[in-house]
Amino acid sequence: MKLLFNKDGQGSIEIKEILGFTDKDIKFEKLKPTIIPATDDLILLIGKPIYDSVLGIYEASSASDSDKELLLRTQYAILLEAYRNFVIDNDLSHSPNGRFNRVEQNQKIAFEWQIERNNKSMERKYYKAIDSLINYMDANVTAWKNSDAYKASHDLFVRLTKDFDFYFNIESSRYLFIKLCPGLRKSEREDILPRIGKDKFDELKTKLKTNVDTYDKVLLELIKEATVYLSLSWGIPRMSAQLFPEGVLEVADTSRLSMSARKSIADNRAEALSQRFKADAESVLLKIETHIKIINKPEIEFQPIKPNFNIDENFVNC
C-alpha cells in the first residue's frame, strides 16, 4: 500500500510540518509502523477509491488549492492517529530486561493522570480531524458523495446529523453519526419493522423521497426518535467516550484512583446511560404501536338507523 508520506524521502519534514506540536523532528521510519494501520482505518471509512484519488493528488507534480486542502486534511487525520498510538508505546523503553520509563536528561516523568488526560485529548483531536475531513468532502468532493460510504446512511429513516441532533445533540458530528449507523439500521430491522409491518415500512421509505401525509409524519417522527435512542443505547457501551460530546460520558474526577477503578466507573456510567436510552426508546415504541393500531383500525361502516315500524299499525313501536 502506498502512503501519503515520505515523498522524495522527506517524511520526517512532512510529519513536523503537518503536526506542528512536536518538540523535535520525529523520524518517519519510527512513525511508519503506526501510519500504516492509521491509513488502513481511514480507508475503511472513506473507501479505497477516495483514498486513491487523494494519493494521486499527493504524487502529482502540481495540484489545485482545493486538492491541496483535501490532501492536508487527510494527512493530518492519519498522522494524529499514528502519533497518538506511537507515543503510548514510546513512553516506555523496551530493553532485554523488560520495560522501563524512558527519561532523558533534564526531563521528569509525567504523572499518570497527565498522560491519561493527554491521551484523551489527542484521541478527541483525531475524531475532530476526521469530522473536519468528512465535512470538507461533503461540501467539495463529488466522488465522495457517490461513494458507498457516503450513501450508507441515506437508506435510513434518520439520514442527516441534523435529524439526529433534533432528538439528541451529537454536535452534528458526521463521524459519530456514521459510527452509529449500524445501530440505527439494527433498530429499524429488529424494532421498527416487526411493529409497523413490511408494507408500511417500505411505503414510508418511499415516501421519504416524496411527500408524507399527516398520519405518516407523526409515525415517521416517532420512528426517528425511537431509532436514535436505540442507536445510542447500542453504541455508548461499544464506543470510546471521546467520540461523544464532552460531558456525555464524563464522570467525576477519578485521577486519584487506579486505572482499573477508573475503567470500572466508566463502564458502569456507560451501561447506565445505555439503559436510560433503551427505556426512552421503549416508551416511544409503545406510542408507535398505538399509532399503528389507529392507522390500521377499519372505519366504522355507516348503517342508517331503521325505525321499528310495523306497516300493519299506525304507530312506531318504541
Side-chain angles (χ1 to χ4, degrees):
M1 175 181 61
K2 292 184 177 180
L3 301 175
L4 300 177
F5 306 95
N6 206 34
K7 188 176 183 180
D8 299 326
Q10 300 297 305
S12 301
I13 296 175
E14 290 172 336
I15 291 169
K16 176 66 176 177
E17 289 180 347
I18 294 169
L19 286 183
F21 58 79
T22 56
D23 287 340
K24 61 181 182 180
D25 293 343
I26 300 174
K27 299 300 181 184
F28 171 76
E29 290 73 18
K30 294 191 70 174
L31 204 56
K32 184 178 179 180
T34 55
I35 288 177
I36 293 173
T39 301
D40 288 337
D41 288 344
L42 190 67
I43 290 174
L44 287 175
L45 175 65
I46 68 175
K48 189 68 162 54
I50 299 296
Y51 178 80
D52 287 342
S53 68
V54 178
L55 182 63
I57 295 170
Y58 177 68
E59 294 179 336
S61 56
S62 62
S64 65
D65 289 343
S66 60
D67 282 348
K68 289 178 181 177
E69 183 72 17
L70 175 61
L71 172 62
L72 180 60
R73 289 172 185 263
T74 307
Q75 288 177 313
Y76 182 64
I78 292 172
L79 277 185
L80 273 178
E81 176 70 350
Y83 180 75
R84 77 183 188 90
N85 285 302
F86 164 76
V87 294
I88 291 173
D89 281 337
N90 201 55
D91 287 338
L92 298 177
S93 173
H94 296 263
S95 75
N97 297 319
R99 292 176 294 184
F100 295 91
N101 287 316
R102 188 190 301 275
V103 181
E104 297 182 9
Q105 188 177 2
N106 300 323
Q107 289 183 331
K108 291 183 179 180
I109 301 173
F111 292 111
E112 183 182 334
W113 65 268
Q114 291 174 314
I115 294 174
E116 182 183 9
R117 179 181 294 177
N118 185 250
N119 286 342
K120 288 181 178 180
S121 175
M122 284 195 293
E123 184 180 359
R124 194 172 287 277
K125 283 181 180 178
Y126 167 65
Y127 297 142
K128 292 288 186 183
I130 292 291
D131 261 335
S132 176
L133 172 61
I134 294 173
N135 288 333
Y136 185 82
M137 292 193 299
D138 283 346
N140 300 282
V141 182
T142 303
W144 163 247
K145 294 180 181 180
N146 294 326
S147 69
D148 292 338
Y150 179 85
K151 294 177 180 177
S153 67
H154 285 66
D155 62 343
L156 299 170
F157 286 114
V158 179
R159 302 182 176 195
L160 304 171
T161 54
K162 68 178 182 179
D163 295 333
F164 202 104
D165 282 342
F166 186 79
Y167 301 102
F168 184 80
N169 185 14
I170 57 172
E171 299 178 349
S172 297
S173 170
R174 286 280 283 116
Y175 184 46
L176 178 54
F177 179 72
I178 289 172
K179 297 282 283 186
L180 287 170
C181 278
L184 289 168
R185 190 167 286 105
K186 180 176 185 292
S187 65
E188 287 188 9
R189 182 179 64 252
E190 297 181 3
D191 299 282
I192 302 302
L193 181 58
R195 283 175 169 83
I196 70 174
K198 189 175 187 306
D199 290 343
K200 194 65 179 177
F201 187 91
D202 293 340
E203 177 189 340
L204 274 179
K205 292 276 186 171
T206 301
K207 284 185 175 181
L208 275 174
K209 301 176 182 178
T210 54
N211 295 316
V212 183
D213 59 41
T214 303
Y215 271 121
D216 286 341
K217 283 181 180 178
V218 175
L219 178 59
L220 182 60
E221 291 305 317
L222 289 172
I223 289 172
K224 287 181 178 181
E225 185 176 7
T227 55
V228 163
Y229 295 155
L230 288 166
S231 71
L232 288 166
S233 177
W234 170 85
I236 283 174
R238 291 171 169 83
M239 299 178 189
S240 168
Q242 310 314 312
L243 261 170
F244 294 88
E246 290 189 61
V248 173
L249 285 170
E250 297 295 327
V251 296
D253 183 19
T254 57
S255 60
R256 295 178 182 271
L257 300 178
S258 66
M259 291 184 67
S260 60
R262 287 198 295 269
K263 185 178 185 306
S264 177
I265 292 174
D267 289 346
N268 290 339
R269 166 69 172 162
E271 183 59 30
L273 196 55
S274 173
Q275 292 302 316
R276 185 181 302 175
F277 278 118
K278 184 177 181 181
D280 289 341
E282 288 173 350
S283 175
V284 182
L285 289 172
L286 288 175
K287 294 179 182 179
I288 290 175
E289 292 173 7
T290 300
H291 194 78
I292 283 294
K293 289 179 182 178
I294 294 173
I295 293 176
N296 293 337
K297 185 177 181 180
E299 295 183 6
I300 299 174
E301 184 179 353
F302 175 74
Q303 294 181 348
I305 299 174
K306 297 179 180 179
N308 186 11
F309 183 79
N310 190 331
I311 59 174
D312 295 328
E313 299 177 2
N314 294 323
F315 58 88
V316 176
N317 294 325
C318 297

